[in-house]
Amino acid sequence: MTLDKAEIATRLAGAGYVADSELGTALVLMDLLKRPLLLEGEAGVGKTEVAKALSAVHEAPLIRLQCYEGLDASSALYEWNYQRQLLAIKTHERDGLAAEAVEAQIFSEDYLLERPLLAAIRSKTPSVLLIDEIDRADEEFEAFLLEILSDWQVSVPELGTIKAVTIPRVILTSNGTRELSDALRRRCLYHYVDYPDEARETRILQARLPDIDTSLAIEIARMVAMIRKEDLSKVPGVAETVDWAAALVGLGVKHLADQPEVIHETLLCLLKTRSDQASMTREVTDRLLGKVA
Amino acid sequence: MNAASASREAGEVGDAAGAAVRARMTGFLKTLRDNHFAVGLDEARDALVLAEAGYGRRASALRPALRALLCARPADWQRFEALFDAHWLGRGVRAATMIAGQPQKAPAGVNRVAGKPGAQGAPDGLPDHVERGGDTEAAGEGEATRGGASRAEVLETTDLRHVADPDAIAEVNALVERLARRMRYRLTRRERLRRKGRRIDLRATIRHSVGRGGEPIDLMRRKRRETPLRIVALLDVSASMSQYSAFFLRFLHGILDHVREADAFLFHTRLVHVSPVLREKDPQKALDRLSLVARGFSGGTKIGESIATFNRQHAARVVHGRTAVIIMSDGYDTGDAEGLAEALASLRKRTRRIVWLNPMAGWDDYAPLAAGMQAALPYLDLFAPAHNLESLAELEPYLARI
């Protein structure tokens, strides 16, 4: 099922994700070229959301593999259910079965615990596989991943090779903690996710908070865009903007400039470190509010 | 992927246009390779697939498609647009749109390129190699004197005040980068669990064997931990330091780029945290952004107050047991010297080493007479001259031992 760009854009919007047009192209190309998509960008720009939206677009199950330092093949791919195997051996002791028969049984698929990667390639319908924060995993894991992503098969020593039933759509995300290998980068389509501009952020707010005033959404987007330009150590992401907007709607604010003290106090939704809160003084807030109005 | 299938898939685009797009594409891929994009045969094939799937008809469709396919890192992402425009908006796309029956306004400057098949279309005079400002690459191209060993030698002993021409500045950049690269992290005695460890971790192995009915099937391993040395640099950018501050900024830039854990602050009459700005990869852009951040450059100095601010607001976060604090200042302070002594005393309790680099200490008849310098001396682990690159390089073995 290949969808064209306009169709994907509509469906993304239906799933509550407001994409820029380049991302739409990238998602079409994923299907056309059968390549994974690597998303890079600052924390909080909505990289993980892309995968969730894509799974909604294709009505495919989302399988998520969260990477961390020390993640190894067994916890990403498969594991044997040792406890069940031991139990099976114990029960078969009384039956007097031959050792080979027992072995054949306990190393069958019944005793295999699927981990995300295996689950993704054995899924009946093509799934969306999200490999989150790949830069946190070790380099060896990256190499291992590369092999799976190019061959779409996995070898389990006791069972033989398991071929992919369906080929998942793969999205990888990276925060740039570690430089990824060139091989992996080349294998993937690439999209750099940036903070949304004012117009897009307004639309995001409208999609997420259906009962928000259009004028308020515009003002919030403009304000956040300016706050991002301030000298902050942790720049607020899209999720923070939505939180803040929800807070303002809940407090009954109609225009930002009307209630500067409320605005200043609710900035804690956006600023998550002490130094940032200290640097956004009341004067700074008022100056920015002056520009918004 | 023959011409016939191209015309079938691309609809209105005829054979000739398909071939033209393919030829342009090959040229474009070569341009990208010359610009250090990782473009292999697979990418080339997929790019042609895209061209035949109809993306080749309009630049507005081709650009995002190729951008997603051919870029691999943020730096590529930013440069791509300039390269694309330079190559495609000169000739290839014009031919395609005309055949597709949608006459468009020809992009500016087309006739300049049209006649010369060898030249890559560069309507706005955009070079195929997009130059990044301040890079060694860009600076060296004019005269073929890419600094050999002898040239670097000379620079290393030149007082930084006297270095002014752009070529020399590029060399200074390179030297600083190399230097910062040498200040890498060291091993500690603590160990942690790693998959490819040197030794077997008995405790973890036994714990893990519980799931296997007590048989130690999986051996857990451990390895010595690499703890990065953290460097926190505080740079004085007051008027008296103005001749040196540009070079120290490059030094900070190099440290932030190559030392994994580093933080940088500027101070004059107040303290500014500049790491995020300096982490900007392009040195020229970083300097531009800096000038916005640090108002009050080249004004007075309040060293004591700035360090006290550092202690109060940042030290708890950025300073730990393996941190070296480097202060780069000439010690001329308009605040009181007692305040400086107090601030340094409290900083000393937190950190491993305090290094003070004073550019003036390299002058022949310098004595640390400034009141601020006098007050600071008892609290320093190292007081060193830093008026040329050689003196900076001498720091490396010292920092390595921390």
Side-chain angles (χ1 to χ4, degrees), chain B residues 154-163 172 176 241 243-245 247-248 251 327-330 356-366 383-395:
Chain B
V154 175
L155 258 177
E156 269 176 2
T157 48
T158 313
D159 196 314
L160 295 180
R161 277 178 309 165
H162 306 311
V163 182
V172 171
V176 167
M241 284 282 289
Q243 286 164 316
Y244 290 100
S245 47
F247 291 96
F248 281 122
F251 181 59
I327 301 169
M328 293 169 246
S329 167
D330 53 10
W356 190 299
L357 301 182
N358 189 335
M360 287 165 64
W363 299 1
D364 287 339
D365 48 357
Y366 174 79
F383 175 67
H387 59 297
N388 57 28
L389 282 165
E390 203 176 50
S391 57
L392 282 181
E394 275 166 14
L395 276 175

Side-chain angles (χ1 to χ4, degrees), chain A residues 139-206:
Chain A
E139 278 163 36
E140 303 104 76
F141 182 75
E142 202 182 300
F144 159 79
L145 200 62
L146 203 63
E147 191 188 326
I148 294 189
L149 291 187
S150 56
D151 296 344
W152 300 114
Q153 63 180 29
V154 169
S155 70
V156 178
E158 297 85 352
L159 279 183
T161 306
I162 299 180
K163 280 214 158 60
V165 180
T166 53
I167 295 193
R169 297 183 172 85
V170 184
I171 289 194
L172 300 103
T173 72
S174 158
N175 279 335
T177 336
R178 175 175 66 78
E179 186 65 11
L180 300 178
S181 76
D182 278 352
L184 184 72
R185 285 182 183 278
R186 270 193 47 203
R187 182 81 204 106
C188 300
L189 295 173
Y190 181 84
H191 183 80
Y192 187 83
V193 189
D194 217 336
Y195 289 109
D197 56 13
E198 282 174 37
R200 215 181 115 215
E201 193 147 36
T202 310
R203 280 186 289 137
I204 292 172
L205 287 179
Q206 285 171 325

Side-chain angles (χ1 to χ4, degrees), chain B residues 178-184 186 229 231 251 382 389-402:
Chain B
R178 232 181 312 156
L179 173 67
R181 227 187 281 270
R182 272 190 260 154
M183 299 181 186
R184 280 295 168 113
R186 310 286 151 182
L229 166 69
I231 294 181
F251 181 59
L382 178 70
L389 282 165
E390 203 176 50
S391 57
L392 282 181
E394 275 166 14
L395 276 175
E396 192 257 331
Y398 179 80
L399 289 175
R401 278 203 312 275
I402 292 176

Side-chain angles (χ1 to χ4, degrees), chain A residues 235-261:
Chain A
V235 179
V238 179
E240 277 87 359
T241 313
V242 175
D243 281 353
W244 190 44
L248 293 182
V249 170
L251 292 171
V253 176
K254 292 278 174 247
H255 289 285
L256 295 190
D258 295 349
Q259 287 157 290
E261 66 284 347

Side-chain angles (χ1 to χ4, degrees), chain B residues 281-296:
Chain B
K281 281 289 173 200
D282 185 337
Q284 202 57 47
K285 248 199 241 165
L287 282 181
D288 286 353
R289 280 184 65 185
L290 259 181
S291 58
L292 293 178
V293 169
R295 312 234 164 213

Side-chain angles (χ1 to χ4, degrees), chain B residues 218-291:
Chain B
D218 298 320
L219 295 183
M220 310 304 274
R221 294 176 176 277
R222 47 172 49 226
K223 192 170 157 181
R224 283 172 88 173
R225 197 164 60 157
E226 294 166 340
T227 303
L229 166 69
R230 184 180 290 177
I231 294 181
V232 174
L234 298 150
L235 170 61
D236 184 347
V237 288
S238 60
S240 53
M241 284 282 289
S242 59
Q243 286 164 316
Y244 290 100
S245 47
F247 291 96
F248 281 122
L249 271 179
R250 292 215 167 77
F251 181 59
L252 290 193
H253 196 237
I255 289 181
L256 286 178
D257 264 3
H258 302 291
V259 178
R260 205 159 56 167
E261 288 192 5
D263 250 309
F265 296 84
L266 301 185
F267 64 92
H268 30 84
T269 48
R270 62 196 175 84
L271 183 83
V272 195
H273 185 204
V274 292
S275 304
V277 181
L278 280 176
R279 278 193 209 283
E280 179 78 56
K281 281 289 173 200
D282 185 337
Q284 202 57 47
K285 248 199 241 165
L287 282 181
D288 286 353
R289 280 184 65 185
L290 259 181
S291 58

